Amino acid sequence: WQVDGLPADTVSTENGIILASARRWPLCVDPQGQANNWIKNSNASAGIEVVKPSDKEFIRTLENAVRFGTPVMMENILESLDPALDPILLKLTFVQGGNIVMKIGDNVIPYHQDFRFYLTTKLPNPHYAPETCVKLTILNFTITQEGLEDQLLGITVAKERPDLEASKNELVASNARMAAQLKDIESRILKLLSESTGNILDDEHLINTLAQSKVTSDEISVKAEQARVTEIEIDTTRNEYRPVARRAALLFFCVADMSGVDPMYQYSMPWFVNLFTRAIEDSEKSDDMAQRLETLLDFSTYLIYENICRSLFEAHKLLFSFTVTIRILQAKGEVNADEYRFFLSGSAGAKREETKRPDAPWITAAVWNAVTSLSTLPKFEGLDKSVAQKLSLWRAYFDSSDTHKERIPGSWQAELDPLQRLCVLRCFRPDKVVPGMQMLVTHYIGARYIEAPPFNLATSFRDASNLLPIVFVLSAGADPYDSLLKFANEMRFSKKLVAISLGQGQGPIAERLMSQAIERGTWVLLQNCHLASSWMPKLEAFVEQYNPDQMHRDYRLWLTSMPSDKFPVLILQNSVKMTIEPPRGVKMNLLGSYNNFTDTYLDSHPKRKEFKKLLYGLCCFHALLQDRRKFGALGFNICYEFTTGDLKCCILQLETFLARYDKVPYKVLVNLFGHINYGGRITDDWDRRMVMTLLRGIINEGIMDDEFQIAPGREYYSPPPGTVAQYVNVIMTMPLSPHPNIFGLHENADITCAQNETNELCEIMMSLQPKAAGGGGRNREDVIEEVALELQARALRPFPLAEISVAYPLLYEESMNTVLSQECIRYNKLIDVFSSSLAALLKALKGLVVMSAELEAMADALYANQVPSIWAKAAYPSLKALGGWMDDLVQRIAFVQRWVNDGPPPVFWISGFFFPQAFLTGTLQNYARKYSLAIDTVSFDFEILHEKAAVSKKRPDDGCYIHGLFLEGASWNHVGRTLVEAKPKELYVAFPAIWLNPKVDRPPPTAGVYSCPVYKTLTRAGTLSTTGHSTNFVLMVELPSEEECSGVFSRYCETFSSHWIKRAVALFCALNY
């Protein structure tokens, strides 16, 4: 079996025994094609037939196989089976005319006893219906690390020492033959003994057979002993190559895990083996074994990295390099599981040492929570005390602009390894973790693993063939058509390239084009495959039925698609993939725009100066919008997919309206560009306000001046009208990574952006972690149980609703009673879900109840220090990790409990409400009813109180005091009580209490304020509600501003405080720690 290709690991051997012995036909879950290969080889002598569900004649093939007793393998089956297979799967035979027959469809076929039927699927984790499971023996042939290592060792030795591998295979076969001979002799002796009558010694035939058997047995034993010695010698030599095979097997599992990051990251086993073989063949040869092994390890690792990288998006390239590095270290036993879990989740568990936070403004709650959590791990014991005692040293470490390169204070630098230093860095400066990860990769495997190879169409084309399609994996705003057209020109195929954009009704046309191209040897480009998901199975069937003998060698199939789980896995695994992304950064975006213009085009407009000036401003506006998205929620509440199509549409309108009007119609252009072309995509009012503010700052009369500043910075001015080359020269002076102030953002925005990137990478890596712990540390189930017990020990008790309804009855003049009872009902639902699910999980961990999918997801979340989705659905919006979320929940319940015990508080903690909008409405309702006013005429006036007002003992006569808000994007001047610039590295500041004072028919302010949105969480985005605001939005607060103010507030763009609009200043009920 192993010579025929069955992996040598125990699981595969057991599967092989079950497959050979089971009464039901086997269905092999075989994503790497191991079982497929083995079944074909072991049944080759019996003339095995291979069919696919997509074959038109597969039923006829099966009928003939049943009749003549030949084995059949049906490969690439999906999650549903053709009902026509039922008679074969259920072995529905009956006797007719003395013969055993089977009815398939309308035909009655004689049933041959030698008939064998095998089914295989390439789906990695298929879900079959119970009625399918009972018809088949389902076997999991997914490759194991051990099995793959043995296979790759065989390939390595076969390439390096073919004589050894041949001897090894011959020995395996010879040992199998000798074992069969001995078994045959034993069976023959037992048969003769059982048939013998009378005295055994009188049976001459038996005595001769025994004598002959002894001679044969002795000969076999001698040969077996020789073979054993030879095998040990061969294995010793073969095992010298084991490190290479182990590294390659480890890399394959890193590659296979990438499918969990993006559905387009699919790679087949044969593709990987071919790449590994190529690495052995192409690497530098050496007679020195140690040198050769070093070369093989280095060359194969980099070749695999290089080939994988071209099919990964930029954001995931470092993730892949880091994963490879960590797996290499884990294989050497150099990674502690608890420490690595802390690095990924930012917490060592739900329990932390309660140590007093040092009185230093730079040590925020987030920093101290992480430090105290890390201090619970053995290697970091005393870290929190070190920080408290040596504040100045740690402050210097924190303040450094390159913290990832700084030495850690005290003896920690020498005591910790690079990964442990990363854990410390994650506590103090999460924004520097990504460069820290790059340093770790460079330290262990080299700098070239963080420098991704550039996009090269020619190399990818060379790796493809007429059988292997080329897939462009797109991201928003990217289009490879121009690059492909240019390449086709170079290859003299521009007239032989046919492109079609897929969509409704385009499938049959695409099939016809592909059939013609196969005959004529031309290229076919199928664009936007993700828009034709229903046609994808037909495309898969078409590619599956490629016949190399009937295909022109010049034929190529090019496909483009956005990431989609509907794209056929079979094509992804057997194709050359490349990712295409739009240019990143303002500079590259502007260069991309101006590379599409010519001098003839720029000079063609009658109003040459105005056109060139406004065109440059428009391209800058587009580039600023595109690049602003990298700041996440600070850039836009909702990430919009602005495309070059939006820019082209604006340019066409610019040409038209400049020609139509005598003077430049700035107002018309601003409304067209901002509200219609770009604004057509915008669904959030606050985003629209920001876009309009940005646009009005560029498209105005000032742009005609050569000194006009489009954005802060001497490079971002409106250049004098010139040629394309002159504009390109101006663009080339711009920095590659601009300061956030060109977008109107504070320098802290870079820190927020880097922290978001760190969190995103760590979350992805956490989701890819295996379900079993390795490399030292506690068992995974033990960690989950410990966390669950710690949470259960918090003992959250539901509110007594009956008593509360008596103490706080429904009153016309006090709407707060209704608000309180509704809050209690909501919290009770959450407490019920929290308590019952924790109890069920603890039982499931002990095996007392079934571990359902919901409980398993909950266990995964607890291990990853995340809030389980079952709780999040029943809870208020929150971005906090599990430990912070639990502390927050306890504080919220305590706030409501104090209200129940002591009556309405003088100052309300706005963050403690499940639904703060109800509280605000109740406040307005109380005022309207008190003075008999229509509620729609009442609105809040805002007064920001002094810091000490938060501890006020008395409620105001009208309205309410609220506290618990946090300010992002700016700071607060407590003396002048106005917005001021944020301090460096101070991302959020606690905001003073606010008096929400209801007024009747209050006129909107005309100067001196910034209309600041208040959100529940830092994501800002929510579901768009009927009010036009997102569900995350709470209310708008007017904050006094020292900025120059003028004009009147309009719904989409206030002309005063544009500075804070671009800064994306907002208030939040809760942070993410």
Side-chain angles (χ1 to χ4, degrees), residues 112 229 504 507 527 558 652 659 863 875 896 1028:
H112 199 292
V229 173
Q504 195 168 7
Q527 294 174 293
W558 305 77
L652 287 171
Y863 183 75
V896 177

Side-chain angles (χ1 to χ4, degrees), residues 28 38 86 371 398 401 449 474 501 524 574 581 587 663 690 785 815 824 846 871 900 917 960 1054 1072:
C28 307
W38 169 57
D86 280 358
V371 169
F398 173 81
S401 56
Y449 290 92
L474 311 177
S501 188
V524 176
N574 298 289
E581 295 183 83
K587 178 178 179 176
K663 289 184 178 179
M690 188 278 298
E785 186 174 12
S815 297
C824 291
K846 291 173 184 169
W871 298 351
V900 171
Q917 290 94 326
C960 62
E1054 45 194 300
N1072 55 0

Side-chain angles (χ1 to χ4, degrees), residues 583-597 602 612-613 615-624 647 710 713-720 722-738 742:
R584 286 188 164 207
V586 173
K587 178 178 179 176
M588 300 311 292
N589 219 302
L590 274 171
L591 275 178
S593 297
Y594 269 83
N595 284 339
N596 292 327
F597 300 144
L602 292 185
K612 286 184 178 182
K613 285 279 193 180
L615 178 65
Y616 187 78
L618 192 54
C619 290
C620 285
F621 169 70
H622 177 76
L624 287 170
L647 177 62
I710 286 174
R714 56 189 174 82
E715 302 91 352
Y716 304 98
Y717 64 96
S718 172
T723 62
V724 170
Q726 287 169 331
Y727 279 114
V728 167
N729 289 338
V730 171
I731 294 165
M732 290 307 289
T733 64
M734 295 178 182
L736 207 56
S737 301
I742 75 155

Side-chain angles (χ1 to χ4, degrees), residues 403-460:
T403 310
H404 58 291
K405 294 179 183 174
E406 286 290 318
R407 290 182 62 80
I408 300 175
S411 60
W412 295 101
Q413 179 73 20
E415 291 172 9
L416 303 178
D417 65 30
L419 182 61
Q420 289 164 343
R421 285 179 215 143
L422 264 187
C423 291
V424 176
L425 182 65
R426 188 161 179 9
C427 294
F428 290 92
R429 290 293 297 276
D431 57 302
K432 293 293 179 185
V433 165
V434 169
M437 287 165 67
Q438 291 174 337
M439 277 182 63
L440 182 129
V441 171
T442 305
H443 175 80
Y444 284 111
I445 60 175
R448 57 184 181 162
Y449 290 92
I450 58 171
E451 297 159 2
F455 171 74
N456 190 327
L457 196 50
T459 309
S460 302

Side-chain angles (χ1 to χ4, degrees), residues 464-524:
S465 69
N466 54 357
L467 296 171
L468 287 178
I470 300 169
V471 181
F472 292 109
V473 185
L474 311 177
S475 62
D479 186 4
Y481 184 70
D482 292 339
S483 304
L484 180 56
L485 210 56
K486 189 178 172 186
F487 180 68
N489 273 326
E490 289 169 14
M491 300 293 291
R492 297 182 181 174
F493 259 81
S494 55
K495 291 181 181 175
K496 294 183 180 179
L497 171 65
V498 185
I500 181 171
S501 188
L502 293 178
Q504 195 168 7
Q506 297 299 303
I509 302 168
E511 284 182 64
R512 190 172 68 250
L513 288 174
M514 287 190 290
S515 301
Q516 289 169 359
I518 285 172
E519 292 172 18
R520 298 171 187 170
T522 56
W523 295 358
V524 176

